[in-house]
Amino acid sequence: MEGAEPPLSCRKPPGLVRLRASPRSGEDSSPSFRRAALPGRGQPSCPELERGKGDAGLGAAPGAWRAGGSPGGGSRSRPRPRSRKGKAGRWGPGARGRTRRRRRPGNGRGVAAGLSRRREDFEDDPRALGARGHRRSVSRGSYQLQAQMNRAVYEDRPPGSVVPTSAAEASRAMAGDTSLSENYAFAGMYHVFDQHVDEAVPRVRFANDDRHRLACCSLDGSISLCQLVPAPPTVLRVLRGHTRGVSDFAWSLSNDILVSTSLDATMRIWASDDGRCIREIPDPDGAELLCCTFQPVNNNLTVVGNAKQNLHVVNISTGKKVKGGSSKLTGRVLALSFDAPGRLLWAGDDRGSVFSFLFDMATGKLTKAKRLVVHEGSPVTSISARSWVSREARDPSLLINACLNKLLLYRVVDNEGTLQLKRSFPIEQSSHPVRSIFCPLMSFRQGACVVTGSEDMCVHFFDVERAAKAAVNKLQGHSAPVLDVSFNCDESLLASSDASGMVIVWRREQK
């Protein structure tokens, strides 16, 4: 019909719309195809299209086929095409896997409203690839990949620079922009707790992301919860219930509960706010419990090690051992540590071996992976894991005390927990269960520091990257072998405990 615009013909899948525009002077009247990225997948955004009364100002010729409506404006209708599978329309669900036709050249004007792009149309969109990156990424559990990624981030940066994020800047501000030796200069003792005198304090720990809450356990069978601010520091409450010495304890991620293990062959769950015992769980083997740790991602699961050479994964909500969550070592289990994602667990025994286990996040099942003999017959008393140590030491690392008069630093070389000795530092440890830690803010400054107790009654600081004279500082004040050390979250305070029951809180100098 003269004067009427040609019909709108949809012969392409949603997202590719054929538009036959009215010819204008100087323009090519050939058909063209343009993409339409409109809200709603395949749903008309215009009410007139939905009701079949018009084409949103484009003109509806008799016999035109519109999305969501029947041919309008005349008696002539066109049957809806069928897909190869015989379902819905040609471009409906039955044809989702069809190959998209090539877009025809042309320069038609305008976009037909009401048709959204199909998921397949986003295949080449970089933003979509980012959102669906799992199709092209490799496992993030790989330690080799993690080390490569860490190196790539810093490789092109000048010395002293940090990742330009708010987290890095905040950590650098807390750590101070000074040398490592200056950073770990201490002003002296902040406070001394002596409520456990005459019995050893094997474990002392600050609460997670907390500057002023501290807990320590004693072989007298109790656990003390202390508050350091406001002054003067006080013992908030003492948790009693174990009938023999408490060998280890751990804070939950939210600090609302603590789990403790004891030589009385029980594990107890405590509420930190009021000090009540929530549950008492006997060891499945009836043996002395020597160590414990929370699974870092799922705090409902706790791993414990006992004197009968067994590891057990325990569900603290039910108080039962997890099926498949047990394994046997070659000696009494003395030390446990997870990696940050919670997929790898290391366990050390009193025969000098360190075992790595693959931890199933869904079921709690343990699969034994690797074994390293640190030194035959030398008890492994402490294991501390870190994903990456610093800008200079970017490989995942493990810090081990093993009664060898040395502190050992190992590199984790694969995603099964295989260990390779990197270096060692001289300390005095031949018989006591001495522990060590990585400093929490070491990743954001030059150098990297570790802290350890020692049988010479001192607290030692070492720079893991310094080739010669690695000792950074030494704190003196204890009258017995120092068994454990713990930093608070911003490194302003350090706590250390000894074999005589004394706990000293040290204050770092403020620059």
Side-chain angles (χ1 to χ4, degrees), residues 122-344:
F122 289 91
E123 289 290 346
D124 299 326
D125 190 338
R127 293 172 299 177
L129 289 176
R132 300 159 61 197
H134 60 278
R135 293 193 175 186
R136 53 181 172 82
S137 64
V138 295
S139 170
R140 292 187 182 270
S142 168
Y143 276 85
Q144 291 176 329
L145 173 65
Q146 188 173 6
Q148 292 170 6
M149 291 171 65
N150 290 336
R151 290 192 188 96
V153 170
Y154 294 102
E155 209 165 54
D156 300 328
R157 293 186 172 273
S161 64
V162 297
V163 177
T165 66
S166 58
E169 294 300 332
S171 296
R172 183 167 186 169
M174 286 191 291
D177 198 11
T178 56
S179 69
L180 205 63
S181 297
E182 292 172 326
N183 251 308
Y184 292 108
F186 282 76
M189 298 181 187
Y190 177 73
H191 191 75
V192 177
F193 292 100
D194 58 359
Q195 67 270 19
H196 300 294
V197 170
D198 298 330
E199 290 288 350
V201 176
R203 197 68 152 149
V204 59
R205 286 186 171 185
F206 276 95
N208 297 303
D209 298 323
D210 196 306
R211 298 174 60 188
H212 303 128
R213 263 203 297 178
L214 179 71
C216 56
C217 66
S218 171
L219 293 184
D220 64 9
S222 65
I223 303 170
S224 296
L225 301 183
C226 308
Q227 186 73 33
L228 304 182
V229 173
T234 58
V235 178
L236 293 178
R237 56 188 59 88
V238 178
L239 312 182
R240 303 185 186 277
H242 287 293
T243 57
R244 294 182 63 191
V246 180
S247 56
D248 198 3
F249 76 94
W251 290 93
S252 67
L253 192 61
S254 58
N255 298 324
D256 55 343
I257 65 172
L258 289 89
V259 60
S260 63
T261 54
S262 171
L263 303 181
D264 64 5
T266 65
M267 174 173 65
R268 285 179 178 255
I269 313 300
W270 308 88
S272 61
D273 56 350
D274 57 10
R276 60 191 172 87
C277 180
I278 300 174
R279 174 172 279 123
E280 179 182 1
I281 304 173
D283 178 62
D285 303 320
E288 297 176 345
L289 288 173
L290 306 177
C291 55
C292 64
T293 186
F294 276 106
Q295 209 283 340
V297 177
N298 181 5
N299 277 187
N300 198 44
L301 300 179
T302 303
V303 183
V304 296
N306 66 23
K308 288 190 175 179
Q309 308 179 3
N310 288 325
L311 274 182
H312 296 297
V313 180
V314 179
N315 187 321
I316 62 174
S317 295
T318 63
K320 296 183 179 180
K321 181 175 64 174
V322 174
K323 184 178 181 180
S326 298
S327 186
K328 196 172 187 66
L329 276 63
T330 55
R332 292 157 46 98
V333 185
L334 302 180
L336 297 169
S337 182
F338 272 102
D339 66 346
R343 298 187 183 95
L344 267 177

Side-chain angles (χ1 to χ4, degrees), residues 1 5 16 61 76-77 98 107 132 140 191 212 233 254 275 277 311 317 341 369 393 414 421:
M1 179 183 300
E5 293 186 5
L16 293 180
R76 189 162 54 94
S77 63
R98 291 173 61 93
N107 58 355
R132 300 159 61 197
R140 292 187 182 270
H191 191 75
H212 303 128
S254 58
C277 180
L311 274 182
S317 295
D414 60 24
L421 182 64

Side-chain angles (χ1 to χ4, degrees), residues 18 81 196 288 376 481 492:
R18 180 179 180 181
H196 300 294
E288 297 176 345
E376 191 69 38
S492 60

